[in-house]
């Protein structure tokens, strides 16, 4: 196969990821991550890094996609925090309790008609609440995790509305 000059220019460097678009996208992402971690620190959350992690996941989307992933992440995190807090409060730490809790969370997510993304996010929260060694009560860890993720979601959605991702034309690139 003969390569053209255009094909060589595109190898390893997508046209949409150059020039002004990359500067704007990187600036938008950095600002959202900064605001998120500052807000989480303002509330003195012990694991404030979860807020910018969540923001980074959501900020990479358009507003429509951000709303969808945000809602699923919010629902899943809330359900995972509740199931994790209950299981960790009433049962001794044991891998079988954890596995049963993950199974139960899947059923709960189904009852709430949430999708597999919600179950995935809930499972992550459940694992953090149940498996990470903690000094405080499980419900407090669950609440902190939920608050950190909620801040990340809120900042990402606010920034997506205030500073939406633009689709750049070939001339602008």
């Amino acid at each position: 196969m003969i390569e053209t000059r255009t094909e060589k220019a595109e190898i390893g460097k997508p046209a949409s990821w150059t020039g002004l678009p990359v500067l704007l996208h990187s600036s938008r992402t950095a600002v959202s991550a900064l605001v998120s971690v500052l807000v989480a620190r303002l509330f003195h959350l012990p694991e404030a890094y979860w807020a910018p992690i969540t923001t980074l996941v959501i900020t990479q989307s358009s507003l429509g996609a951000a709303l969808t992933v945000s809602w699923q992440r919010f629902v899943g995190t809330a359900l995972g925090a509740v199931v994790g807090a209950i299981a960790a409060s009433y049962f001794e730490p044991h891998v079988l309790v954890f596995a049963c809790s993950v199974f139960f969370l899947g059923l709960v997510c189904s009852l709430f008609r949430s999708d597999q993304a919600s179950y995935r996010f809930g499972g992550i929260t459940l694992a953090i609440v149940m498996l990470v060694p903690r000094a405080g009560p499980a419900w407090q860890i669950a609440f902190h995790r939920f608050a950190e993720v909620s801040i990340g979601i809120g900042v990402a959605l606010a920034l997506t509305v205030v500073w939406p991702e633009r689709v750049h034309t070939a001339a602008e690139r």
Side-chain angles (χ1 to χ4, degrees):
M1 182 174 163
I2 301 173
E3 290 184 48
T4 65
R5 186 176 276 177
T6 305
E7 289 171 347
K8 283 184 181 180
E10 292 178 2
I11 294 174
K13 189 174 175 185
S16 64
W17 192 245
T18 59
L20 183 61
V22 73
L23 292 174
L24 290 174
H25 182 78
S26 297
S27 298
R28 181 178 173 268
T29 302
V31 167
S32 65
L34 174 64
V35 169
S36 187
V37 75
L38 291 176
V39 170
R41 285 181 179 175
L42 179 70
F43 287 101
H44 303 289
L45 293 169
E47 295 177 333
Y49 55 83
W50 284 112
I53 289 171
T54 301
T55 299
L56 289 167
V57 169
I58 293 170
T59 303
Q60 302 298 322
S61 307
S62 65
L63 179 58
L67 288 172
T68 302
V69 74
S70 296
W71 177 247
Q72 291 306 320
R73 185 162 183 100
F74 181 80
V75 168
T77 300
L79 295 175
V82 168
V83 172
I86 291 170
S89 295
Y90 290 101
F91 299 99
E92 293 296 317
H94 194 278
V95 293
L96 290 179
V97 172
F98 170 68
C100 289
S101 298
V102 171
F103 176 77
F104 182 72
L105 176 63
L107 301 178
V108 171
C109 285
S110 175
L111 286 174
F112 278 83
R113 300 204 185 281
S114 56
D115 65 12
Q116 287 183 338
S118 180
Y119 180 41
R120 182 174 56 249
F121 295 131
I124 292 166
T125 299
L126 177 91
I128 291 167
V129 170
M130 292 188 74
L131 300 177
V132 173
R134 59 186 180 275
W139 65 266
Q140 185 179 43
I141 305 304
F143 174 75
H144 286 158
R145 173 76 172 113
F146 177 73
E148 291 150 1
V149 168
S150 296
I151 287 169
I153 290 169
V155 169
L157 289 178
L159 195 74
T160 302
V161 169
V162 173
W163 189 359
E165 185 82 20
R166 277 190 54 210
V167 176
H168 294 276
T169 64
E172 290 175 314
R173 287 188 286 250

